[in-house]
Amino acid sequence: MRPTLSILIYTNSWVALCVTSLVYGIGSYFRLDHLELFALWSFTGTVSAYQLHRLFRLRQLNYTVRSNRRLLWMQNTYSFQIAWFILNFLTCLACMLYIPITKEFLVLTGLNAIIVALYALPLPIIGNGIRHIPFAKNILISISWVLIILIPFASDKHLARVGWEIPLLVFIAVFAQIIPFDSRDLPHDPKSLATIPQLIGSQKARYAGFALLILALGIQTGLLGFHWLLPFTVFCGAVGHLIPFMVGYQLRLEFMWELPLGLMGLWFLIA
């Protein structure tokens, strides 16, 4: 079990699968075209973005964290990490050859690329990326996920079909799911990040994150109606948010932190 979870989580494949679930599920709900292509594009693009950030982050962690399992795993598989990034990045670019390109698609994709670059790349003026600006980290990641969800609509020229509920619920849900990661990183993150756990403490942050997830699920229920996935998603969210972070259970907890987002995409798919 542990080797499988290590590969899924440490290669950023699990978070990419959850993004893809939302893209495919919401696109299927609105009966968009080219969904399989967008699913592949979303997966490879997400892996590329997160790998880029992690590879730059690895340099910083080398000097601050010496017993972190993720760090040790990435150090021991560094060549594979580089190859995995290149494979996904090239596949993402290849998908662009077949995706219908519209003006709206270019605007949203360009904006998302700027966000990823500002977040992942170190900038001399502000340090290790724009993520070190107070409150920027969670907001940027949440906006990026919303843009990824909207890009297939832009490609099909159907942005007008998307009401306010979907961007809002995706933003809130993603923002909520970042909070457990912030609690995990609390000992290592600089105070300038001003994350939710830094502002109110990790215990209160757990309840705040869970409350935000419930809010997002409430919006989704209002949009789609009740489904048996709702209580299961609430249960998974409660496990991920309310159980304090424990080093020995890091992989299992990280799996649960992202799972509600994947389940929300599945809910759209079967609605």
Side-chain angles (χ1 to χ4, degrees):
M1 185 67 175
R2 180 174 290 277
T4 302
L5 284 178
S6 297
I7 293 172
L8 273 176
I9 293 173
Y10 291 161
T11 62
N12 301 295
S13 299
W14 179 233
V15 63
L17 285 171
C18 291
V19 174
T20 304
S21 174
L22 281 170
V23 169
Y24 193 87
I26 294 174
S28 176
Y29 179 76
F30 284 92
R31 302 183 184 278
L32 298 182
D33 297 326
H34 314 291
L35 280 181
E36 288 76 14
L37 180 60
F38 276 111
L40 179 61
W41 178 79
S42 301
F43 179 86
T44 55
T46 302
V47 169
S48 301
Y50 276 86
Q51 282 292 104
L52 183 65
H53 167 63
R54 291 280 166 78
L55 290 171
F56 276 102
R57 177 78 166 151
L58 181 61
R59 293 184 178 182
Q60 181 185 25
L61 291 178
N62 277 328
Y63 299 100
T64 59
V65 183
R66 302 195 180 279
S67 59
N68 183 280
R69 290 184 177 181
R70 182 192 300 275
L71 174 62
L72 294 175
W73 194 89
M74 291 189 69
Q75 288 173 331
N76 293 333
T77 60
Y78 189 73
S79 297
F80 170 74
Q81 298 290 321
I82 296 293
W84 183 236
F85 166 73
I86 293 174
L87 174 63
N88 281 274
F89 183 68
L90 292 178
T91 304
C92 183
L93 291 180
C95 289
M96 295 284 288
L97 299 176
Y98 302 96
I99 291 175
I101 305 297
T102 64
K103 182 191 301 183
E104 294 83 358
F105 173 88
L106 291 175
V107 170
L108 295 186
T109 303
L111 180 58
N112 195 44
I114 291 172
I115 291 174
V116 170
L118 291 176
Y119 179 81
L121 301 178
L123 300 176
I125 299 176
I126 57 175
N128 188 32
I130 202 171
R131 67 188 298 272
H132 277 200
I133 296 177
F135 310 109
K137 174 186 173 182
N138 297 33
I139 294 174
L140 286 174
I141 294 176
S142 301
I143 291 175
S144 179
W145 279 57
V146 170
L147 290 174
I148 293 172
I149 301 302
L150 294 179
I151 284 171
F153 291 89
S155 178
D156 280 357
K157 296 184 178 181
H158 288 315
L159 273 176
R161 296 176 59 189
V162 185
W164 59 268
E165 297 94 342
I166 288 179
L168 180 62
L169 74 87
V170 170
F171 182 92
I172 294 174
V174 174
F175 193 98
Q177 297 312 108
I178 297 172
I179 293 177
F181 291 93
D182 290 336
S183 295
R184 178 200 65 189
D185 296 336
L186 192 58
H188 314 295
D189 279 339
K191 298 298 183 182
S192 61
L193 278 177
T195 62
I196 301 299
Q198 287 176 338
L199 295 174
I200 64 176
S202 58
Q203 183 174 355
K204 291 181 180 178
R206 290 199 296 270
Y207 294 106
F210 185 58
L212 286 173
L213 176 62
I214 295 299
L215 176 60
L217 290 173
I219 297 172
Q220 187 165 353
T221 303
L223 184 65
L224 303 180
F226 178 82
H227 192 273
W228 60 267
L229 270 176
L230 173 60
F232 183 59
T233 307
V234 171
F235 170 77
C236 293
V239 172
H241 280 279
L242 302 182
I243 294 180
F245 174 70
M246 295 173 285
V247 174
Y249 296 90
Q250 179 175 345
L251 287 173
R252 296 178 182 88
L253 286 173
E254 288 197 31
F255 181 85
M256 297 301 293
W257 293 343
E258 301 284 5
L259 181 58
L261 297 173
L263 291 174
M264 290 172 72
L266 178 61
W267 186 356
F268 272 101
L269 179 63
I270 62 181

